[in-house]
Amino acid sequence: MNRKTLVLPAVVGLLTPVLAACGGSGSGSNSGDAIVVGTTDRFTATKDAPAPLDPAYSYDVGGWNILRQTVQTLMSQPKGEGDPVPDAAESCSFTDSGSERYACKLREGLKFSDGTPVTAKDVKWSIERALRIKAVGGPYGLLTNIDTIETQGDREVVFHLRSADATFPYKLSTPVAGIVNPKDYDENKLRDGFGIDGSGPYTFKADVKDDAIVSATFTKNPNYKGSVKVNNQQVVLRSYDDADAMGKAIDKGDIDVMTRTMSPAQINKLDAGDDSNVDLVEMPGLEIRYLGFNTDAPTVKSKAVREAMAQIIDRASLVAKVYGSQAEPLYSLVPASVTGHSNSFFNKYGDPSVSKARNTLAAANITTPVKLTLHYTTDHYGSATKQEFEVLQKQLNDSGLFDVSIQGTLWKTYQVAERKGEYDVYGMGWFPDFPDADNFLAPFLDKDNFLQSPYVNNKIIKTLLPESRREADRASASGSLTQIQDAVADDVPLLPLWQGKQYVAARDDITGVAYALNSSASLQLWELGRGSSS
């Protein structure tokens, strides 16, 4: 085909990948039959975060991309769009009319990778472990609506919920609900290091240097029983310092696939079709970027300061200068392609206006220029992050109302500092746990929010989120969801910036690339194969 980019379209509400590929063949990698995948994600164990791959702790896209290959869940997200499907379970369903009792039956003959049988008690133990540990900044908040877990024999598990939650099947598809082998995990503390023992599609072995994973080998698990078909025997995931190093590796044939995060320039080059051996797959994305605020910090404690920033920042200009066609301005925490989205920030603030921001600050008796620091991570969201924050800095400073400096920090330090409340204003990205509007709101606003944000809105927590979750038809939840988004625009504890597309680049002899990422930006390594594409 003339254009090397393979564009996968979206449908209303969710994403629907359409399989497409270019013909031809390439040299592949030099690692035998193993498919080699490159990433710029860094997997590091530190004193403050010693258990990066424990399902009870891990809560970033990189860690989850490892766990989804290795730790099985009762439900899993399909490779395209749609509701979650049984994986470790043979079947799951609500057994009452109020969506408060959810029952699952395990597949017969389910085993951990070492051959040990997986029982209903292991499921109960694993999920209760995450709830018991309550790792700071971890994902346990996804499960706190569970009241009790009941087992019936070796294969049946029943979840009794505190309140109705139509999104619960999605939550059971996330790694925090992963089934781990009790003999390899302590029930009361996290498992340090990079060991993983589960019943997922692959076993896992990490090559570690200086407390960081250099490469990880995923080998097909002969004991796996679940919903996915594994199309390869082995995948090697290699971690690179930056997108340039990863790009050179695929050019040389050292890797077969590039995933997150490629630079905008790199994507543009591949999009132009300059490399006849590498195809670029473009698909709609649910990744968002936003600014977070420590609403207790003196510099931004006044809502007027946060409102003024929301009034000044020009998302369209930011996206055009840094990401071009690879992103779109976002006016809510909920992406435009997800059912329940509302343009709440645009509805409240309209087009950027320095004069309106000046009036807002003056009415609150705020002395200008307001001096503050915007923090960002240098190595987690891609090389363009620094440029993005330079543009934000210029927009705010050019208004004359702010005196902004920017500070970049490595992710291994950054995420811990943010959770401790050390940053007044900080940039973050969000890759959804599951493709529902609830998951772009509750993780930030519920009582167990992963940001450890001091912002509390009792109406959201006690009324609007529960109301929205009672609706099995998610379109019927739009009223409550819109009120939540409007409240965020009013109080500005978070400031959405943009919504991005997602990309995978692969050499021509790699198949299944169109499904290598699902709608939640999760890697699905089992979809990759080696052979001639069509």
Side-chain angles (χ1 to χ4, degrees):
M1 60 199 303
N2 293 329
R3 187 168 180 263
K4 295 294 288 181
T5 305
L6 315 176
V7 182
L8 308 185
V11 296
V12 176
L14 288 176
L15 309 179
T16 306
V18 177
L19 186 61
C22 293
S25 61
S27 64
S29 75
N30 298 317
S31 298
D33 291 331
I35 295 172
V36 186
V37 178
T39 179
T40 60
D41 283 329
R42 305 293 291 169
F43 311 98
T44 306
T46 66
K47 180 180 178 181
D48 291 321
L53 298 183
D54 191 315
Y57 175 81
S58 178
Y59 204 14
D60 65 79
V61 65
W64 275 25
N65 278 341
I66 288 178
L67 291 172
R68 288 188 188 276
Q69 323 303 316
T70 52
V71 177
Q72 197 173 16
T73 48
L74 289 171
M75 304 291 286
S76 65
Q77 295 178 37
K79 64 182 181 181
E81 57 112 356
D83 296 330
V85 297
D87 189 22
E90 177 183 283
S91 62
C92 286
S93 64
F94 284 106
T95 59
D96 65 334
S97 59
S99 299
E100 294 182 353
R101 186 181 189 273
Y102 195 74
C104 294
K105 184 175 183 179
L106 295 181
R107 294 179 187 270
E108 189 172 2
L110 204 64
K111 296 179 181 180
F112 289 110
S113 59
D114 67 355
T116 304
V118 176
T119 68
K121 288 183 179 179
D122 296 322
V123 177
K124 172 181 166 72
W125 185 90
S126 298
I127 292 176
E128 288 182 341
R129 173 180 179 267
L131 287 167
R132 186 183 304 112
I133 291 175
K134 291 185 177 181
V136 175
Y140 75 95
L142 290 168
L143 304 176
T144 53
N145 195 32
I146 296 173
D147 186 15
T148 59
I149 305 174
E150 171 190 358
T151 61
Q152 299 175 357
D154 286 340
R155 294 178 58 200
E156 295 188 30
V157 185
V158 181
F159 299 90
H160 299 276
L161 306 183
R162 302 180 193 277
S163 59
D165 186 1
T167 69
F168 188 66
Y170 278 110
K171 293 171 181 176
L172 288 183
S173 74
T174 62
V176 68
I179 309 164
V180 296
N181 197 332
K183 72 179 185 180
D184 297 305
Y185 292 79
D186 190 295
E187 64 179 348
N188 294 308
K189 65 180 183 179
L190 296 172
R191 179 178 179 176
D192 293 355
F194 301 103
I196 306 173
D197 289 279
S199 56
Y202 296 97
T203 61
F204 174 81
K205 183 179 180 181
D207 180 10
V208 179
K209 182 179 180 181
D210 297 328
D211 295 319
I213 293 179
V214 177
S215 68
T217 301
F218 298 88
T219 302
K220 185 176 180 179
N221 176 11
N223 290 317
Y224 170 71
K225 288 188 175 183
S227 61
V228 306
K229 177 186 176 183
V230 182
N231 293 317
N232 54 68
Q233 292 296 317
Q234 194 169 81
V235 177
V236 175
L237 185 69
R238 289 183 184 165
S239 181
Y240 290 88
D241 289 337
D242 52 50
D244 287 342
M246 183 169 63
K248 291 176 182 177
I250 201 168
D251 288 343
K252 293 194 300 181
D254 291 339
I255 63 175
D256 301 295
V257 181
M258 288 198 298
T259 58
R260 63 179 305 273
T261 303
M262 291 178 269
S263 69
Q266 206 167 45
I267 292 168
N268 288 335
K269 179 181 177 182
L270 289 169
D271 186 38
D274 293 341
D275 190 333
S276 61
N277 293 319
V278 179
D279 296 331
L280 180 70
V281 178
E282 172 195 305
M283 54 199 87
L286 296 181
E287 171 191 4
I288 69 168
R289 297 287 175 84
Y290 62 93
L291 293 179
F293 297 95
N294 178 354
T295 53
D296 282 347
T299 58
V300 292
K301 187 171 185 177
S302 171
K303 184 173 74 168
V305 174
R306 307 193 300 271
E307 287 179 312
M309 293 177 67
Q311 187 70 75
I312 292 169
I313 289 175
D314 187 337
R315 296 167 176 81
S317 177
L318 171 68
V319 167
K321 290 180 178 178
V322 182
Y323 298 102
S325 63
Q326 298 161 26
E328 299 174 352
L330 183 63
Y331 297 93
S332 168
L333 292 174
V334 180
S337 53
V338 173
T339 299
H341 163 82
S342 176
N343 278 326
S344 297
F345 273 80
F346 187 82
N347 294 341
K348 180 175 175 63
Y349 299 98
D351 292 325
S353 172
V354 173
S355 62
K356 289 181 180 179
R358 182 180 294 108
N359 291 339
T360 297
L361 293 171
N365 296 315
I366 302 294
T367 302
T368 59
V370 178
K371 188 173 183 177
L372 51 82
T373 300
L374 304 187
H375 293 268
Y376 67 94
T377 176
T378 57
D379 63 334
H380 191 63
Y381 298 119
S383 58
T385 306
K386 180 180 180 182
Q387 183 186 356
E388 176 183 340
F389 274 74
E390 288 172 342
V391 173
L392 289 171
Q393 178 189 31
K394 188 175 189 305
Q395 288 185 0
L396 291 166
N397 287 347
D398 283 353
S399 72
L401 302 176
F402 287 88
D403 179 8
V404 169
S405 59
I406 59 174
Q407 177 65 53
T409 306
L410 291 172
W411 177 248
K412 65 180 180 181
T413 302
Y414 186 86
Q415 61 175 332
V416 174
E418 182 279 315
R419 290 170 182 171
K420 290 181 177 180
E422 295 179 9
Y423 301 148
D424 295 3
V425 189
Y426 51 91
M428 292 285 277
W430 180 251
F431 298 83
D433 308 325
F434 50 89
D436 186 276
D438 179 272
N439 193 243
F440 291 90
L441 299 170
F444 309 101
L445 303 169
D446 215 343
K447 61 181 179 181
D448 297 306
N449 73 82
F450 86 103
L451 290 175
Q452 302 292 292
S453 170
Y455 172 76
V456 175
N457 185 313
N458 284 320
K459 184 178 181 181
I460 291 176
I461 294 170
K462 296 180 179 180
T463 303
L464 296 176
L465 283 172
E467 278 182 359
S468 72
R469 289 167 178 164
R470 281 197 286 269
E471 300 291 346
D473 177 1
R474 300 309 290 154
S476 299
S478 293
S480 300
L481 294 170
T482 295
Q483 289 186 62
I484 296 171
Q485 292 166 83
D486 288 347
V488 173
D490 287 340
D491 294 341
V492 202
L494 303 141
L495 179 54
L497 297 172
W498 55 266
Q499 169 185 348
K501 299 175 183 177
Q502 53 185 3
Y503 297 87
V504 178
R507 299 189 70 82
D508 276 347
D509 65 336
I510 301 300
T511 61
V513 180
Y515 289 116
L517 291 175
N518 69 9
S519 60
S520 296
S522 299
L523 271 178
Q524 300 180 138
L525 297 177
W526 53 83
E527 295 291 340
L528 300 175
R530 191 183 295 280
S532 60
S533 54
S534 61

